[in-house]
Amino acid sequence: MTDERVPVAATRPVSLYNPANLLTAARIVLVPVFVAFVVVSDMADSGWRILACLTFIVASATDFADGWIARRYQLVTSFGKVADPIADKALTGSALVLLSAYDRLSWWVTGLILLREWGVTALRFWVIRYGVIPASRGGKLKTALQIAAIAFFLWPVPEPFDLVGTSLMVAALIVTVVTGVDYVFQALRLRRRAQQA
């Protein structure tokens, strides 16, 4: 769900079984659990919806924690660099698709957000030989808004307070599109500078 941070190269051998990687793995494991809770709830049973929402929030929290731990304690590994963005996209993507499948969110919103998320990941791989596109403040704001919006949609919020979720999703969509366009220009500039060097 977050934009991939610039990894800090480790100065010593790092075990694959470190806290950052274990949190990333836990997020991957939580994705099917989250999906199961939503399906069982049928987005109608309040108890299961709350459980699904809490699972989503816990999984999202691991996204912030694993990156911080990896950078803070120099625990960056090849597994983490590959698995972390996959786990993020799997969690966010499954949540958005489920919300659309249960008619809680328009499909075009889900499609646009997923297009941006996977598009940015593809851009990073496209320019990886030239350098790394750093995560921006806008990217971090986008992530926070998406998490908050999805959580509001999952939680059985009574009317008219459910409009808060809609407002958050509109804000998330705007920031998602704007930062996506910014990443395109960053990738093009990075590639152009590398080719001119």
Side-chain angles (χ1 to χ4, degrees):
M1 211 174 309
T2 55
D3 294 293
E4 298 90 326
R5 276 72 165 183
V6 180
V8 178
T11 56
R12 54 185 169 75
V14 178
S15 170
L16 183 65
Y17 304 101
N18 65 66
N21 284 351
L22 291 176
L23 283 172
T24 300
R27 185 160 70 260
I28 294 173
V29 171
L30 283 175
V31 171
V33 176
F34 160 71
V35 170
F37 287 159
V38 174
V39 171
V40 171
S41 78
D42 201 34
M43 287 302 287
D45 185 286
S46 295
W48 285 106
R49 284 182 65 180
I50 290 172
L51 196 55
C53 183
L54 292 176
T55 303
F56 175 79
I57 291 172
V58 169
S60 298
T62 67
D63 179 29
F64 291 100
D66 63 2
W68 181 85
I69 290 172
R71 292 188 301 276
R72 175 68 176 79
Y73 297 101
Q74 295 186 344
L75 297 176
V76 175
T77 63
S78 297
F79 169 82
K81 287 188 278 187
V82 173
D84 183 68
I86 291 175
D88 297 343
K89 304 304 182 285
L91 181 63
T92 305
S94 61
L96 292 170
V97 167
L98 285 167
L99 289 174
S100 292
Y102 285 101
D103 295 321
R104 301 304 171 106
L105 185 65
S106 297
W107 278 107
W108 70 266
V109 174
T110 292
L112 192 56
I113 292 176
L114 293 183
L115 178 64
R116 184 273 188 199
E117 296 297 331
W118 288 105
V120 167
T121 299
L123 273 175
R124 290 181 182 279
F125 280 111
W126 183 53
V127 299
I128 196 168
R129 73 181 69 140
Y130 306 112
V132 177
I133 304 174
S136 65
R137 290 182 180 178
K140 295 173 184 177
L141 174 61
K142 178 269 305 178
T143 299
L145 286 171
Q146 285 183 4
I147 292 171
I150 291 171
F152 254 93
F153 273 85
L154 291 169
W155 195 273
V157 180
E159 296 181 354
F161 302 106
D162 58 333
L163 294 177
V164 173
T166 302
S167 299
L168 286 169
M169 187 59 77
V170 170
L173 183 63
I174 292 171
V175 176
T176 296
V177 172
V178 170
T179 55
V181 171
D182 179 59
Y183 277 112
V184 170
F185 284 112
Q186 285 191 61
L188 291 174
R189 283 196 299 270
L190 183 62
R191 183 182 172 91
R192 190 180 305 115
R193 283 198 300 268
Q195 290 178 334
Q196 291 174 348

